[in-house]
Amino acid sequence: MASTYSQADRRSARRARTIEDALDAAEAIMREQGVGGLSMSEVARRLGMRQPSLYKYFSSLHALFDALFARGLARTDAAVTAAIRRRPPGVPRLRAGARALMRWAVENPALAQLLYWRPVPGFEPSAETFAASRDQMATVRTELAAAAGSGQLRAAAATDEALLLYTVVISGVISQQLANEPGASFAAGRFSRLTDEALDMYFARYAPAGGTDADPRP
């Protein structure tokens, strides 16, 4: 019985490794040829397998995109979580999280395009995959409410409008940088280097009367 379980574990590990290798290859293709250049045939070629074999792991090209979308969400979540871990609630976490997300996007343009643009006609992430995006938005909503509740920002910061505007600021910087100056570093990019200025304007919009930024930038 133990041997049977061991064989099953090995098969599961091989499958997981092949899936990760396929996603790595797909990312490389998107970096080289653009998101629209991704194909099942090219992924299979880079893995040294026949294309029909790849369908054992991804039922379609859109299923592959869905897995890439999930990978992008997981990595953005990891970047933001690491950035806010030691920051106090509210504005400090919102600012640190936004910086981390924008930096990640500039450094990972292929996945960022998939997350923040619609480069694949007809593709939408599955409900299961997109649930992680909703969780991220819920976290931002919680921090906005904390900022409003503690007096860091006005009560208006705890509204849907404020949440949407926060995403507009972030996605705007990301889109401008990736579209106009791809390949530039986060620190040197003409648009990404304006990250703090863009956040300053956002927080000024909701600053309490006579108040100051609860997390002034360097």
mmCIF file of all heavy atoms in Angstrom, residues 20-54:
data_model
loop_
_atom_site.group_PDB
_atom_site.id
_atom_site.type_symbol
_atom_site.label_atom_id
_atom_site.label_comp_id
_atom_site.label_asym_id
_atom_site.label_seq_id
_atom_site.Cartn_x
_atom_site.Cartn_y
_atom_site.Cartn_z
ATOM 1 N N GLU A 20 4.429 23.672 -14.020
ATOM 2 C CA GLU A 20 5.268 24.843 -13.735
ATOM 3 C C GLU A 20 6.226 25.119 -14.882
ATOM 4 O O GLU A 20 6.447 26.278 -15.255
ATOM 5 C CB GLU A 20 6.040 24.634 -12.431
ATOM 6 C CG GLU A 20 5.171 24.727 -11.193
ATOM 7 C CD GLU A 20 4.448 26.062 -11.093
ATOM 8 O OE1 GLU A 20 5.123 27.116 -11.128
ATOM 9 O OE2 GLU A 20 3.205 26.052 -11.008
ATOM 10 N N ASP A 21 6.793 24.072 -15.461
ATOM 11 C CA ASP A 21 7.689 24.249 -16.595
ATOM 12 C C ASP A 21 6.940 24.857 -17.782
ATOM 13 O O ASP A 21 7.479 25.715 -18.502
ATOM 14 C CB ASP A 21 8.305 22.906 -17.014
ATOM 15 C CG ASP A 21 9.325 22.388 -16.013
ATOM 16 O OD1 ASP A 21 9.774 23.177 -15.157
ATOM 17 O OD2 ASP A 21 9.664 21.191 -16.088
ATOM 18 N N ALA A 22 5.706 24.407 -17.993
ATOM 19 C CA ALA A 22 4.903 24.948 -19.090
ATOM 20 C C ALA A 22 4.587 26.421 -18.863
ATOM 21 O O ALA A 22 4.642 27.236 -19.800
ATOM 22 C CB ALA A 22 3.615 24.145 -19.237
ATOM 23 N N LEU A 23 4.268 26.789 -17.630
ATOM 24 C CA LEU A 23 3.986 28.191 -17.324
ATOM 25 C C LEU A 23 5.234 29.049 -17.479
ATOM 26 O O LEU A 23 5.166 30.181 -17.967
ATOM 27 C CB LEU A 23 3.419 28.311 -15.907
ATOM 28 C CG LEU A 23 2.042 27.678 -15.690
ATOM 29 C CD1 LEU A 23 1.631 27.799 -14.225
ATOM 30 C CD2 LEU A 23 0.987 28.327 -16.582
ATOM 31 N N ASP A 24 6.393 28.510 -17.078
ATOM 32 C CA ASP A 24 7.642 29.239 -17.279
ATOM 33 C C ASP A 24 7.894 29.480 -18.762
ATOM 34 O O ASP A 24 8.288 30.577 -19.175
ATOM 35 C CB ASP A 24 8.825 28.454 -16.680
ATOM 36 C CG ASP A 24 8.815 28.444 -15.160
ATOM 37 O OD1 ASP A 24 8.113 29.284 -14.553
ATOM 38 O OD2 ASP A 24 9.509 27.579 -14.581
ATOM 39 N N ALA A 25 7.679 28.436 -19.558
ATOM 40 C CA ALA A 25 7.878 28.568 -21.004
ATOM 41 C C ALA A 25 6.894 29.573 -21.596
ATOM 42 O O ALA A 25 7.256 30.388 -22.452
ATOM 43 C CB ALA A 25 7.721 27.204 -21.681
ATOM 44 N N ALA A 26 5.649 29.525 -21.144
ATOM 45 C CA ALA A 26 4.631 30.450 -21.652
ATOM 46 C C ALA A 26 4.989 31.899 -21.312
ATOM 47 O O ALA A 26 4.841 32.795 -22.146
ATOM 48 C CB ALA A 26 3.267 30.090 -21.060
ATOM 49 N N GLU A 27 5.475 32.119 -20.095
ATOM 50 C CA GLU A 27 5.904 33.469 -19.716
ATOM 51 C C GLU A 27 7.028 33.953 -20.618
ATOM 52 O O GLU A 27 7.045 35.110 -21.060
ATOM 53 C CB GLU A 27 6.377 33.487 -18.271
ATOM 54 C CG GLU A 27 5.331 33.869 -17.262
ATOM 55 C CD GLU A 27 5.951 34.247 -15.925
ATOM 56 O OE1 GLU A 27 6.491 35.370 -15.828
ATOM 57 O OE2 GLU A 27 5.897 33.421 -14.998
ATOM 58 N N ALA A 28 7.988 33.083 -20.874
ATOM 59 C CA ALA A 28 9.119 33.457 -21.723
ATOM 60 C C ALA A 28 8.649 33.827 -23.126
ATOM 61 O O ALA A 28 9.118 34.812 -23.716
ATOM 62 C CB ALA A 28 10.130 32.307 -21.783
ATOM 63 N N ILE A 29 7.712 33.063 -23.665
ATOM 64 C CA ILE A 29 7.172 33.355 -24.996
ATOM 65 C C ILE A 29 6.487 34.706 -25.009
ATOM 66 O O ILE A 29 6.657 35.509 -25.933
ATOM 67 C CB ILE A 29 6.203 32.238 -25.432
ATOM 68 C CG1 ILE A 29 6.954 30.921 -25.614
ATOM 69 C CG2 ILE A 29 5.477 32.626 -26.731
ATOM 70 C CD1 ILE A 29 6.045 29.705 -25.706
ATOM 71 N N MET A 30 5.691 34.985 -23.973
ATOM 72 C CA MET A 30 4.981 36.271 -23.922
ATOM 73 C C MET A 30 5.947 37.439 -23.795
ATOM 74 O O MET A 30 5.719 38.503 -24.344
ATOM 75 C CB MET A 30 3.969 36.266 -22.782
ATOM 76 C CG MET A 30 2.799 35.315 -22.976
ATOM 77 S SD MET A 30 1.417 35.588 -21.834
ATOM 78 C CE MET A 30 2.199 35.321 -20.238
ATOM 79 N N ARG A 31 7.036 37.239 -23.049
ATOM 80 C CA ARG A 31 8.038 38.306 -22.946
ATOM 81 C C ARG A 31 8.701 38.574 -24.295
ATOM 82 O O ARG A 31 8.970 39.715 -24.662
ATOM 83 C CB ARG A 31 9.104 37.930 -21.918
ATOM 84 C CG ARG A 31 8.669 38.060 -20.473
ATOM 85 C CD ARG A 31 9.859 38.002 -19.527
ATOM 86 N NE ARG A 31 10.596 36.754 -19.642
ATOM 87 C CZ ARG A 31 10.350 35.670 -18.911
ATOM 88 N NH1 ARG A 31 9.364 35.687 -18.009
ATOM 89 N NH2 ARG A 31 11.069 34.576 -19.066
ATOM 90 N N GLU A 32 8.946 37.497 -25.038
ATOM 91 C CA GLU A 32 9.653 37.619 -26.307
ATOM 92 C C GLU A 32 8.754 38.075 -27.447
ATOM 93 O O GLU A 32 9.176 38.871 -28.302
ATOM 94 C CB GLU A 32 10.280 36.272 -26.667
ATOM 95 C CG GLU A 32 11.329 35.785 -25.683
ATOM 96 C CD GLU A 32 11.611 34.300 -25.833
ATOM 97 O OE1 GLU A 32 11.159 33.709 -26.849
ATOM 98 O OE2 GLU A 32 12.261 33.707 -24.946
ATOM 99 N N GLN A 33 7.522 37.575 -27.483
ATOM 100 C CA GLN A 33 6.663 37.764 -28.647
ATOM 101 C C GLN A 33 5.376 38.521 -28.340
ATOM 102 O O GLN A 33 4.558 38.723 -29.233
ATOM 103 C CB GLN A 33 6.324 36.392 -29.252
ATOM 104 C CG GLN A 33 7.553 35.575 -29.624
ATOM 105 C CD GLN A 33 7.206 34.203 -30.173
ATOM 106 O OE1 GLN A 33 6.106 33.985 -30.687
ATOM 107 N NE2 GLN A 33 8.140 33.265 -30.078
ATOM 108 N N GLY A 34 5.178 38.926 -27.091
ATOM 109 C CA GLY A 34 3.932 39.557 -26.705
ATOM 110 C C GLY A 34 2.927 38.512 -26.264
ATOM 111 O O GLY A 34 3.050 37.320 -26.610
ATOM 112 N N VAL A 35 1.927 38.961 -25.519
ATOM 113 C CA VAL A 35 0.929 38.028 -25.003
ATOM 114 C C VAL A 35 0.222 37.302 -26.139
ATOM 115 O O VAL A 35 -0.054 36.108 -26.061
ATOM 116 C CB VAL A 35 -0.085 38.779 -24.113
ATOM 117 C CG1 VAL A 35 -1.203 37.841 -23.662
ATOM 118 C CG2 VAL A 35 0.618 39.371 -22.890
ATOM 119 N N GLY A 36 -0.048 38.025 -27.219
ATOM 120 C CA GLY A 36 -0.740 37.418 -28.352
ATOM 121 C C GLY A 36 0.088 36.390 -29.098
ATOM 122 O O GLY A 36 -0.447 35.643 -29.919
ATOM 123 N N GLY A 37 1.385 36.334 -28.818
ATOM 124 C CA GLY A 37 2.246 35.377 -29.497
ATOM 125 C C GLY A 37 2.268 34.005 -28.856
ATOM 126 O O GLY A 37 2.899 33.080 -29.384
ATOM 127 N N LEU A 38 1.573 33.860 -27.737
ATOM 128 C CA LEU A 38 1.572 32.578 -27.044
ATOM 129 C C LEU A 38 0.741 31.547 -27.810
ATOM 130 O O LEU A 38 -0.359 31.832 -28.264
ATOM 131 C CB LEU A 38 0.995 32.751 -25.632
ATOM 132 C CG LEU A 38 0.951 31.493 -24.757
ATOM 133 C CD1 LEU A 38 2.355 30.950 -24.511
ATOM 134 C CD2 LEU A 38 0.248 31.790 -23.445
ATOM 135 N N SER A 39 1.284 30.354 -27.947
ATOM 136 C CA SER A 39 0.556 29.254 -28.605
ATOM 137 C C SER A 39 0.889 27.950 -27.901
ATOM 138 O O SER A 39 1.968 27.781 -27.323
ATOM 139 C CB SER A 39 0.937 29.149 -30.089
ATOM 140 O OG SER A 39 2.288 28.730 -30.233
ATOM 141 N N MET A 40 -0.037 27.032 -27.952
ATOM 142 C CA MET A 40 0.180 25.719 -27.358
ATOM 143 C C MET A 40 1.322 24.994 -28.072
ATOM 144 O O MET A 40 2.122 24.303 -27.435
ATOM 145 C CB MET A 40 -1.103 24.892 -27.430
ATOM 146 C CG MET A 40 -2.273 25.462 -26.641
ATOM 147 S SD MET A 40 -2.083 25.287 -24.853
ATOM 148 C CE MET A 40 -2.642 23.588 -24.618
ATOM 149 N N SER A 41 1.405 25.169 -29.370
ATOM 150 C CA SER A 41 2.434 24.460 -30.130
ATOM 151 C C SER A 41 3.831 24.900 -29.714
ATOM 152 O O SER A 41 4.740 24.078 -29.596
ATOM 153 C CB SER A 41 2.224 24.664 -31.634
ATOM 154 O OG SER A 41 2.283 26.049 -31.967
ATOM 155 N N GLU A 42 4.011 26.206 -29.471
ATOM 156 C CA GLU A 42 5.331 26.697 -29.099
ATOM 157 C C GLU A 42 5.697 26.279 -27.674
ATOM 158 O O GLU A 42 6.861 25.953 -27.394
ATOM 159 C CB GLU A 42 5.395 28.217 -29.244
ATOM 160 C CG GLU A 42 6.734 28.840 -28.876
ATOM 161 C CD GLU A 42 7.906 28.334 -29.714
ATOM 162 O OE1 GLU A 42 7.674 27.699 -30.768
ATOM 163 O OE2 GLU A 42 9.067 28.557 -29.308
ATOM 164 N N VAL A 43 4.719 26.281 -26.788
ATOM 165 C CA VAL A 43 4.989 25.804 -25.429
ATOM 166 C C VAL A 43 5.412 24.337 -25.473
ATOM 167 O O VAL A 43 6.393 23.934 -24.844
ATOM 168 C CB VAL A 43 3.756 25.985 -24.521
ATOM 169 C CG1 VAL A 43 3.982 25.302 -23.164
ATOM 170 C CG2 VAL A 43 3.446 27.459 -24.322
ATOM 171 N N ALA A 44 4.665 23.533 -26.227
ATOM 172 C CA ALA A 44 4.997 22.104 -26.338
ATOM 173 C C ALA A 44 6.392 21.914 -26.928
ATOM 174 O O ALA A 44 7.170 21.069 -26.462
ATOM 175 C CB ALA A 44 3.950 21.399 -27.190
ATOM 176 N N ARG A 45 6.717 22.707 -27.942
ATOM 177 C CA ARG A 45 8.037 22.577 -28.570
ATOM 178 C C ARG A 45 9.140 22.853 -27.553
ATOM 179 O O ARG A 45 10.132 22.133 -27.494
ATOM 180 C CB ARG A 45 8.147 23.547 -29.748
ATOM 181 C CG ARG A 45 9.423 23.382 -30.573
ATOM 182 C CD ARG A 45 9.585 24.496 -31.587
ATOM 183 N NE ARG A 45 9.926 25.757 -30.940
ATOM 184 C CZ ARG A 45 11.146 26.070 -30.493
ATOM 185 N NH1 ARG A 45 12.148 25.204 -30.605
ATOM 186 N NH2 ARG A 45 11.359 27.248 -29.935
ATOM 187 N N ARG A 46 8.954 23.898 -26.743
ATOM 188 C CA ARG A 46 9.993 24.254 -25.770
ATOM 189 C C ARG A 46 10.109 23.227 -24.651
ATOM 190 O O ARG A 46 11.165 23.104 -24.034
ATOM 191 C CB ARG A 46 9.722 25.646 -25.202
ATOM 192 C CG ARG A 46 9.825 26.740 -26.257
ATOM 193 C CD ARG A 46 9.903 28.123 -25.668
ATOM 194 N NE ARG A 46 9.938 29.125 -26.722
ATOM 195 C CZ ARG A 46 10.306 30.394 -26.555
ATOM 196 N NH1 ARG A 46 10.671 30.813 -25.340
ATOM 197 N NH2 ARG A 46 10.308 31.242 -27.554
ATOM 198 N N LEU A 47 9.025 22.514 -24.403
ATOM 199 C CA LEU A 47 9.072 21.470 -23.382
ATOM 200 C C LEU A 47 9.561 20.140 -23.943
ATOM 201 O O LEU A 47 9.761 19.182 -23.192
ATOM 202 C CB LEU A 47 7.684 21.277 -22.766
ATOM 203 C CG LEU A 47 7.140 22.427 -21.921
ATOM 204 C CD1 LEU A 47 5.760 22.071 -21.381
ATOM 205 C CD2 LEU A 47 8.081 22.778 -20.780
ATOM 206 N N GLY A 48 9.717 20.080 -25.260
ATOM 207 C CA GLY A 48 10.163 18.848 -25.879
ATOM 208 C C GLY A 48 9.095 17.786 -25.918
ATOM 209 O O GLY A 48 9.409 16.578 -25.859
ATOM 210 N N MET A 49 7.829 18.200 -26.027
ATOM 211 C CA MET A 49 6.729 17.228 -26.119
ATOM 212 C C MET A 49 5.865 17.538 -27.324
ATOM 213 O O MET A 49 5.951 18.616 -27.912
ATOM 214 C CB MET A 49 5.877 17.246 -24.839
ATOM 215 C CG MET A 49 5.131 18.548 -24.607
ATOM 216 S SD MET A 49 3.902 18.459 -23.250
ATOM 217 C CE MET A 49 4.891 18.030 -21.847
ATOM 218 N N ARG A 50 5.034 16.581 -27.725
ATOM 219 C CA ARG A 50 4.087 16.818 -28.811
ATOM 220 C C ARG A 50 2.926 17.641 -28.277
ATOM 221 O O ARG A 50 2.538 17.521 -27.114
ATOM 222 C CB ARG A 50 3.603 15.486 -29.392
ATOM 223 C CG ARG A 50 4.730 14.661 -30.002
ATOM 224 C CD ARG A 50 4.260 13.303 -30.477
ATOM 225 N NE ARG A 50 3.239 13.419 -31.510
ATOM 226 C CZ ARG A 50 2.023 12.879 -31.445
ATOM 227 N NH1 ARG A 50 1.669 12.192 -30.356
ATOM 228 N NH2 ARG A 50 1.175 13.016 -32.435
ATOM 229 N N GLN A 51 2.345 18.482 -29.147
ATOM 230 C CA GLN A 51 1.273 19.375 -28.710
ATOM 231 C C GLN A 51 0.103 18.640 -28.060
ATOM 232 O O GLN A 51 -0.410 19.096 -27.033
ATOM 233 C CB GLN A 51 0.777 20.224 -29.887
ATOM 234 C CG GLN A 51 -0.289 21.239 -29.481
ATOM 235 C CD GLN A 51 -0.669 22.158 -30.628
ATOM 236 O OE1 GLN A 51 0.096 22.336 -31.574
ATOM 237 N NE2 GLN A 51 -1.856 22.746 -30.556
ATOM 238 N N PRO A 52 -0.357 17.481 -28.618
ATOM 239 C CA PRO A 52 -1.483 16.790 -27.961
ATOM 240 C C PRO A 52 -1.189 16.422 -26.514
ATOM 241 O O PRO A 52 -2.103 16.393 -25.683
ATOM 242 C CB PRO A 52 -1.677 15.552 -28.833
ATOM 243 C CG PRO A 52 -1.177 15.962 -30.176
ATOM 244 C CD PRO A 52 0.008 16.835 -29.901
ATOM 245 N N SER A 53 0.084 16.171 -26.186
ATOM 246 C CA SER A 53 0.426 15.814 -24.813
ATOM 247 C C SER A 53 0.211 16.983 -23.866
ATOM 248 O O SER A 53 -0.107 16.787 -22.681
ATOM 249 C CB SER A 53 1.888 15.354 -24.737
ATOM 250 O OG SER A 53 2.086 14.197 -25.520
ATOM 251 N N LEU A 54 0.376 18.209 -24.368
ATOM 252 C CA LEU A 54 0.212 19.388 -23.520
ATOM 253 C C LEU A 54 -1.236 19.545 -23.060
ATOM 254 O O LEU A 54 -1.505 20.092 -21.989
ATOM 255 C CB LEU A 54 0.674 20.639 -24.269
ATOM 256 C CG LEU A 54 0.747 21.944 -23.473
ATOM 257 C CD1 LEU A 54 1.676 21.815 -22.271
ATOM 258 C CD2 LEU A 54 1.218 23.087 -24.384
#
